[in-house]
Amino acid sequence: MAFMRFQAPRGTRDVLPQEAHRWVHLEKTFRDICHLYGYSEIRTPTFEDTELFVRGVGEGTDIVSKEMYTFKDRAGRSLTLKPEGTAPVIRAYLEHSLGTPNQITRLFYITPIFRYERPQKGRLRESHQTGVELIGSGTPDADAEVIELTVRFYQTLGIRNISIKLNSLGEEECRKSYREALLEYARPHLRDFPEEFRARCEKNPLRLLDSKDPEVQKIVADAPPITRYYEKETIEHFESLQKLLNSLGITYEIDPKLVRGLDYYTKTVFEVQSEFLGAQNALCGGGRYDNLIEEYGGQPTPAVGVAMGIERALMVMETLEIEKKVERLLDVFAVCLTENRIEFAKFVKFLRDSGISVVTDLEFRSAKSQFRQADKSGANYAVILGDEELEKGVVKVKDMRSGEEVTLPSGEVLRVLRHHPA
Ligand code: HAM
């Protein structure tokens, strides 16, 4: 029988040991920044009731209509692997009464997301996001806080040349009128397009605006602008936000075609893009969603948030050759040159009890093989214990960088091991 060699499923990636430190660095940077702004971590389940996303993200979106990993469990419930983090966070916020409508709740998360998309550079079926949700404030100052936090995150990571795209989708009334106007304008131009595409446009005309199809782009170039339908409140909100961003030194570009692929947005939407990404050029996306909490049965509560793609940030960091110096993770490789495994094991335990990280060759191979492993291990020191050393109560310590070797009484070894220059 032929052996089957398993591979990671299409659109998924392993994070291998040699790259894991980059993830740790990014996640730590994100956590530190969230702390700076007073956000608390929340972790939600990998799957949720399918209906949560249908209602929240929207039936007419690509995510819900064709990208969800939906399955029935053994009791026949329809469940979906989370395609994004906002809906689950809001579900948890309401379920556990994490805040009241006039109280501000600041939450952050680091999560995998699952979307059945066609995999390509920067687009995976399982990808990862860092994100924040600021719940309970409807002010432009809240939008500015989220945008500023986002910019600070990329700056701290060393990601240069980002561009911020900003738009406002107005409130309910504005979007309704605009959808109708856009459709009325586009309908005659779409006559020769496939039936399926036209049906999708009828359901969700805003999608026309961010279509990648050059023919569609040509059509929408002359479409009426959304600004014409803004409510007074939307105009004031958008202007105040721009003023705030200007005074915070944040440069942005207003992009009236930025609509985003989720239905819950109201007023402000934004994306940060990078020229170092390919066609999938969005590092992150976010915006205000003032109706979602009410949609989920809560009191009307304004909210705004953002989610940043981890893989995309790491891709840009790789292109820009931003490599965080890898700290040597291992203090000691302990070389065993005695038959007395018990004494050796006790000595290794003593080192670990003292906070020194240690790796050993559990197979007790030849001295030559153990030294080779010590070299490869990346340890700062090799500590050598043989019969002679055991008898005299000493150990040999070899500095793996300089090659220098000293013999020390066992009691003094910690002093040396703890003070390795980085
Ligand atoms: P989103 O724009 O769908 O927004 O995703 C945010 C970011 O996640 C994208 O800009 C991209 O960097 C990354 N991303 C999304 N899908 C993939 C994929 N298939 N492969 C690789 N990276 C991907 C949201 O998810 C909203 N929940 C953001 C939000 C939070 N809005 C308000 N609060």
Side-chain angles (χ1 to χ4, degrees):
M1 198 176 79
F3 278 107
M4 167 124 169
R5 264 181 79 112
F6 290 111
Q7 291 185 334
R10 188 165 144 75
T12 69
R13 274 198 53 210
D14 296 307
V15 177
L16 300 174
Q18 63 267 28
E19 52 183 340
H21 71 277
R22 301 171 64 224
W23 285 70
V24 172
H25 169 62
L26 182 145
E27 288 169 10
K28 180 171 184 312
T29 304
F30 180 68
R31 279 174 204 282
D32 288 350
I33 284 173
C34 287
H35 181 69
L36 198 61
Y37 289 78
Y39 285 68
S40 307
E41 182 163 5
I42 182 161
R43 302 183 191 204
T44 65
T46 303
F47 53 83
E48 298 272 354
D49 279 340
T50 300
E51 200 50 30
L52 181 84
F53 300 113
V54 175
R55 291 263 296 276
V57 176
E59 228 163 330
T61 60
D62 282 357
I63 295 180
V64 169
S65 63
K66 46 186 194 190
E67 293 172 0
M68 295 209 299
Y69 280 88
T70 297
F71 58 97
K72 286 230 157 78
D73 74 2
R74 285 167 195 272
R77 300 177 193 92
S78 180
L79 299 169
T80 293
L81 300 185
K82 57 175 146 178
E84 61 105 45
T86 307
V89 167
I90 296 306
R91 195 261 314 133
Y93 166 84
L94 287 170
E95 184 173 338
H96 306 286
S97 307
L98 296 183
T100 57
N102 43 22
Q103 197 179 46
I104 293 178
T105 307
R106 291 179 167 89
L107 301 169
F108 81 84
Y109 51 89
I110 302 178
T111 184
I113 59 160
F114 306 88
R115 296 182 190 178
Y116 192 78
E117 296 191 89
R118 191 193 298 252
Q120 54 170 261
K121 190 167 173 258
R123 194 160 76 188
L124 291 150
R125 289 184 172 168
E126 181 188 29
S127 66
H128 298 78
Q129 293 182 338
T130 54
V132 304
E133 309 298 345
L134 197 175
I135 306 163
S137 174
T139 62
D141 307 64
D143 303 5
E145 176 174 309
V146 169
I147 294 172
E148 200 218 302
L149 179 154
T150 305
V151 171
R152 190 185 296 270
F153 173 62
Y154 291 120
Q155 274 172 351
T156 311
L157 288 175
I159 294 181
R160 305 177 259 112
N161 297 12
I162 54 173
S163 60
I164 303 170
K165 304 278 165 160
L166 189 66
N167 192 18
S168 177
L169 301 178
E171 295 180 82
E172 194 90 41
E173 200 46 48
C174 160
R175 276 192 313 284
K176 189 163 166 279
S177 317
Y178 185 57
R179 266 196 217 107
E180 279 165 17
L182 188 60
L183 205 53
E184 206 165 299
Y185 158 83
R187 236 182 238 131
H189 300 279
L190 295 174
R191 232 177 274 130
D192 298 331
F193 280 77
E195 170 62 36
E196 195 202 326
F197 179 74
R198 278 185 290 137
R200 241 187 301 139
C201 294
E202 292 283 336
K203 224 175 177 178
N204 200 348
L206 292 186
R207 305 300 319 158
L208 281 165
L209 294 181
D210 64 356
S211 167
K212 297 252 185 314
D213 181 337
E215 284 303 306
V216 179
Q217 284 176 353
K218 241 189 268 163
I219 296 171
V220 297
D222 295 325
I226 189 167
T227 39
R228 211 177 280 168
Y229 302 87
Y230 283 166
E231 301 89 348
K232 186 165 165 280
E233 156 70 13
T234 295
I235 296 170
E236 282 170 11
H237 186 102
F238 201 27
E239 282 178 357
S240 301
L241 173 61
Q242 290 171 49
K243 258 194 219 138
L244 273 164
L245 294 177
N246 293 342
S247 57
L248 293 171
I250 295 174
T251 319
Y252 54 86
E253 195 185 307
I254 294 180
D255 178 358
K257 300 228 153 55
L258 180 71
V259 287
R260 316 252 316 111
L262 305 101
D263 276 356
Y264 49 58
Y265 291 114
T266 54
K267 292 186 185 153
T268 312
V269 286
F270 69 95
E271 275 184 13
V272 174
Q273 301 177 353
S274 167
E275 57 183 289
F276 301 110
L277 289 167
Q280 303 302 315
N281 64 353
L283 275 168
C284 74
R288 176 162 284 290
Y289 49 98
D290 288 345
N291 302 330
L292 184 63
I293 294 174
E294 200 180 356
E295 173 72 28
Y296 284 161
Q299 298 288 323
T301 311
V304 53
V306 62
M308 305 93 162
I310 296 185
E311 285 85 352
R312 293 193 189 171
L314 291 177
M315 264 170 64
V316 173
M317 289 170 75
E318 205 166 331
T319 308
L320 293 175
E321 295 180 357
I322 303 168
E323 186 57 82
K324 178 99 178 38
K325 205 173 111 235
V326 189
E327 281 151 37
R328 290 197 153 219
L329 295 175
L330 187 63
D331 298 320
V332 167
F333 189 98
V335 175
C336 181
L337 301 181
T338 169
E339 298 276 298
N340 193 340
R341 290 182 179 191
I342 305 235
E343 280 309 310
F344 179 74
K346 277 162 65 181
F347 178 68
V348 170
K349 178 170 186 293
F350 158 72
L351 291 180
R352 290 188 180 132
D353 286 347
S354 314
I356 303 287
S357 59
V358 188
V359 160
T360 67
D361 169 39
L362 297 166
E363 303 288 325
F364 301 95
R365 276 175 269 241
S366 68
K368 200 170 145 202
S369 160
Q370 289 189 57
F371 279 112
R372 208 179 311 125
Q373 292 176 62
D375 261 340
K376 268 190 156 169
S377 71
N380 289 323
Y381 293 99
V383 170
I384 303 128
L385 200 65
D387 290 327
E388 203 186 315
E389 285 83 16
L390 270 180
E391 214 165 278
K392 294 186 181 155
V394 296
V395 286
K396 268 198 202 127
V397 177
K398 180 181 173 186
D399 185 319
M400 296 303 285
R401 276 196 216 162
S402 65
E404 234 170 81
E405 210 174 280
V406 286
T407 301
L408 293 169
S410 315
E412 278 178 40
V413 73
L414 292 179
R415 193 173 43 79
V416 175
L417 299 182
R418 280 197 180 125
H419 289 100
H420 192 273

